[in-house]
Amino acid sequence: MDTFGRPLRNLRLSVTDRCNLRCEYCMPEDDYVWLPREDILHFEETSRLVDIFLSLGVDKIRLTGGEPLLRRDVPALVRMIAAKPGLKDLALTTNGVLLADQIDALKDAGLGRITVSLDTLHQERFKKLTRFDQLDAVHAGIAAAYRVYGRLKIDTVVLRGVNDDELVPLMEYSRSVNAEVRFIEYMDVGGASRWSPERVVSRRAMLDTLARHYGVIVPVDEPGSSAPAERFALEDGTTFGIIASTTAPFCSTCDRSRLTADGMWYLCLYATHGTDLRAPLRQGASDDALKAIVGAGWRARTDRGAEDRLALGEQRAFVPIQDLLRKDPHLEMHTRGG
Ligand code: SAM
């Protein structure tokens, strides 16, 4: 348990800081400082750290990035992790571009669940938002996930004036591929995200829009859940989620931490400092020594980044200085894993 009694349970493993899209709210810059290649953990190193986390209570792991499917042979990593005792849930978040080619290998390796990020169904809008003409590839990835898994999740960041007119079409599309859609409030996560309060569509506004079209929407009761999404149901039973990190942070139940591809461990999406696990690992630290570092780090955890950000109001103060981002690429969302 950390300082606020939150258990260490969920680990987001970022396997690369590289991405094959350039979503304007996530990677708006023309060039980035990438993690040095020699710093990226080998799969054996990642697997050893995963063992440490599992021994301390983690039982859910999500592979992310950057774009995780850009990392060579991700199914091999999935195979190493999926077989570990104590792991209850192994998921992957992807933009879907490379998914159709890899889905069979991922399933075969033991990946439990897939989430695909998709913000728009309009070709031109997709091109403008992501700066790549890859909507067809994403649709192919989603179709492949539906074929192989029978169901999936779709994550949509809702941006005012960009895709806030697509809530109903995205709900309908998701239904057609047996996906549960989760609408995400635009977050000021530090990094270069071009965030501004005017661009946020709140949970309240999303629910109003959906209720105008679908009628009564009821919350789905999930006592004790630490999931970021609050789930709702339409009258016909279709369920969907809203992740209201910006207007209604859920720090009090947050059991997530993040490991970057180069072995930095962050206790909060908003944290500006992480714990270097690569150095002790490569210097030959024993399992007990690594457990002591992670255990002590978690017990001392006081992070409530989204609540702190909300308390700041509209003044932007998270990581305001571009120079700082250049000095430390870990502060970017695509490095620490969304
Ligand atoms: N490349 C993978 C993908 O597209 O899902 C995984 C990494 S991506 C950083 C993970 C998620 O973070 C995506 O759904 C993306 O839309 C979301 N994201 C990035 N920046 C965000 C922001 N400022 N606010 C809310 N969500 C954001």
Side-chain angles (χ1 to χ4, degrees), residues 25-26 64-68 93-95 117 155 157 184-187 189 193 333 338:
Y25 57 86
C26 186
T64 180
E67 171 47 42
T93 296
T94 170
N95 61 31
S117 300
D155 276 4
V157 180
I184 304 175
E185 289 181 352
Y186 189 10
M187 290 182 267
V189 288
S193 78
M333 174 84 145

Side-chain angles (χ1 to χ4, degrees), residues 12 14 16 18-21 23 25-27 63-69 92-96 115-119 154-159 184-190 192-195 243 245-246 269-270 333-338:
R12 309 251 159 161
S14 173
T16 178
R18 310 277 171 149
C19 194
N20 47 359
L21 297 181
C23 298
Y25 57 86
C26 186
M27 298 186 75
L63 302 178
T64 180
E67 171 47 42
L69 298 184
L92 173 121
T93 296
T94 170
N95 61 31
T115 300
V116 179
S117 300
L118 175 65
D119 299 329
I154 290 180
D155 276 4
T156 301
V157 180
V158 184
L159 305 157
I184 304 175
E185 289 181 352
Y186 189 10
M187 290 182 267
D188 177 18
V189 288
S193 78
R194 304 228 166 127
W195 186 88
I243 303 184
S245 323
T246 300
L269 183 57
Y270 292 80
M333 174 84 145
H334 63 269
T335 305
R336 63 179 52 187

